[in-house]
Amino acid sequence: MKMKSLVCSCALLVGLAGVAQAHEDVDNDGKFTLLFGGGKYFSDSSRDIGDGNVGEIGLGYIIDKHWAVEAIYTDISSVTSSVTGADVDADMFRLDGLYHFNQNGHWTPYLAAGIGQLSFDTSGGSDDDETAVNFGGGVKYALSKELTARADIRAVYGSDDSDVDTLATIGFNYIFGASSAAAPLDSDGDGVLDADDRCPGTPAGVAVNAKGCALDSDLDGVPNYLDKCHSTKRNVRVDRDGCPMLGSDAVSIELEVLFDTNKADIKPEFMAEIQSVAEFMDQYKGAYAVIEGHTDSMGDAGYNKSLSQRRADAVLAVLVKKMGVNSQRVTAEGFGEERPRAANDTRDGRQLNRRVVAVLKAEVKKVLTK
């Protein structure tokens, strides 16, 4: 049992050293505390008595953020002597000093040591009183500004035969008149205290700014750790991955070539217009053209159908052979006199109907802006 207590105490010290980190604490200097709890008392084997259940109550005083003192009464019950079989009750009064490490979030580890009086009362026998020194520590967890849960383990050194018992308890501390300011916390562990953190719940390991928000280098509203398109320009609308959102604009161009009566020859003044169509198709690779040939109503309808086809083919040939348009992107169709644009009973109307026309449309992808 002696070795067990020593090992437990050493393990506790190592654990406390591992979890202690610098952190600002609430100012509860000069406040009184009430302690209550319970646990188990493991007796040294040399005492020849079993282990007992424990109930504790005490009063403490907080000196500063590191130091506190406590006066505690411990009742140890339901212990049986292994020699006589008689019931043995015990109690202990002790005065302890506590050293608290800096708070790490809700957690505050501490070391403790103290001295007191340990008494054993054997049923049908005599009382046994001895001086007891304890050493150990524990950890506290802040439930609120007033209430703290605690877990504690002590090695208890009795003055008789150098007995070493072990006391393990869990309990609560209530702080009278606790500071109204909550203990500074960093719940998401990003290095920014909750009081200053405008982005609580940041995933672990994510780089944040002074306000606790994930870094967003291109200021597009999507943090770096989620952004798949870094360096997005300002005022550009982005999707959930931080990439520019695309839209489209419709663009178009119209072609009109007029012909003389019963002719399919292209006049020189219309070459510039055909050139504009070729340039449009070169710029917008998704544009396709249907060249429509038309005639007036003079003459035979069958002949006019053939004439309109020759006119459409003539324009197509200029686009493909002279201006380099891919033949797969342009077709020609003659409609004869079927689709007049103007009345055929006037000279001007007939002139407007002797034509080749086309309307080309395309969609232009563009980045959407805010």
Side-chain angles (χ1 to χ4, degrees):
M1 183 59 73
K2 294 179 181 179
M3 182 58 68
K4 177 181 177 181
S5 296
L6 291 174
V7 170
C8 289
S9 298
C10 291
L12 176 66
L13 292 176
V14 173
L16 295 179
V19 300
Q21 299 180 15
H23 200 297
E24 184 179 356
D25 294 282
V26 171
D27 183 11
N28 280 320
D29 297 359
K31 302 295 193 303
F32 286 93
T33 63
L34 175 65
L35 162 69
F36 52 96
K40 293 290 289 186
Y41 193 90
F42 304 97
S43 300
D44 191 295
S45 58
S46 64
R47 293 189 185 279
D48 294 324
I49 59 176
D51 303 330
N53 296 319
V54 167
E56 283 192 338
I57 189 168
L59 185 66
Y61 179 77
I62 301 173
I63 300 172
D64 58 30
K65 73 174 185 177
H66 289 301
W67 292 100
V69 292
E70 292 178 339
I72 299 176
Y73 168 70
T74 304
D75 178 69
I76 308 165
S77 59
S78 301
V79 180
T80 303
S81 170
S82 61
V83 177
T84 65
D87 290 338
V88 179
D89 291 327
D91 53 28
M92 178 169 55
F93 293 92
R94 69 179 194 268
L95 181 65
D96 296 339
L98 283 70
Y99 177 81
H100 298 83
F101 293 94
N102 289 327
Q103 186 176 3
N104 178 26
H106 289 271
W107 299 93
T108 305
Y110 64 90
L111 296 177
I115 189 170
Q117 185 74 19
L118 179 61
S119 301
F120 292 92
D121 181 12
T122 304
S123 178
S126 59
D127 295 344
D128 181 20
D129 297 330
E130 59 185 74
T131 301
V133 175
N134 71 84
F135 175 81
V139 64
K140 296 179 180 179
Y141 183 86
L143 301 173
S144 68
K145 70 177 186 292
E146 299 95 355
L147 190 62
T148 301
R150 63 188 279 175
D152 189 295
I153 186 169
R154 307 287 180 94
V156 182
Y157 297 83
S159 59
D160 292 352
D161 300 324
S162 299
D163 296 320
V164 181
D165 304 332
T166 302
L167 174 63
T169 59
I170 58 175
F172 299 91
N173 274 96
Y174 181 83
I175 304 173
F176 295 97
S179 172
S180 59
L185 301 176
D186 178 15
S187 302
D188 55 7
D190 61 0
V192 179
L193 299 181
D194 288 358
D196 301 320
D197 200 335
R198 297 188 181 179
C199 300
T202 305
V206 172
V208 300
N209 57 23
K211 296 178 181 179
C213 298
L215 296 181
D216 178 15
S217 300
D218 54 7
L219 301 178
D220 61 0
V222 179
N224 290 351
Y225 76 99
L226 295 176
D227 201 333
K228 295 181 180 179
C229 297
H230 303 285
S231 303
T232 304
K233 294 181 179 180
R234 296 287 185 89
N235 298 322
V236 170
R237 293 174 60 186
V238 298
D239 58 21
R240 61 189 301 174
D241 294 324
C243 296
M245 297 179 66
L246 299 178
S248 61
D249 279 339
V251 293
S252 64
I253 189 172
E254 295 184 7
L255 170 68
E256 182 176 71
V257 179
L258 301 180
F259 293 83
D260 291 336
T261 301
N262 199 27
K263 298 291 185 182
D265 300 324
I266 300 173
K267 298 179 181 180
E269 60 262 34
F270 292 106
M271 293 301 292
E273 188 161 354
I274 299 175
Q275 178 67 41
S276 296
V277 171
E279 292 172 353
F280 180 91
M281 297 185 73
D282 182 61
Q283 181 178 0
Y284 303 108
K285 304 301 182 182
Y288 291 81
V290 177
I291 308 300
E292 299 180 0
H294 301 276
T295 69
D296 59 28
S297 62
M298 304 299 291
D300 180 71
Y303 177 81
N304 287 340
K305 187 84 167 181
S306 174
L307 177 60
S308 66
Q309 185 65 51
R310 293 201 310 273
R311 288 172 175 172
D313 288 341
V315 174
L316 184 149
V318 172
L319 285 171
V320 173
K321 296 179 180 179
K322 291 186 177 182
M323 300 182 179
V325 174
N326 189 321
S327 62
Q328 300 297 318
R329 299 176 59 198
V330 59
T331 58
E333 184 175 358
F335 292 93
E337 59 188 67
E338 300 170 2
R339 299 181 180 180
R341 187 173 67 178
N344 281 298
D345 56 359
T346 67
R347 180 178 179 180
D348 292 339
R350 290 192 295 273
Q351 174 66 72
L352 292 175
N353 289 334
R354 297 191 298 271
R355 71 195 189 280
V356 164
V357 296
V359 177
L360 287 77
K361 296 181 180 180
E363 288 191 350
V364 182
K365 295 295 184 182
K366 67 174 184 178
V367 175
L368 299 180
T369 57
K370 298 177 181 178

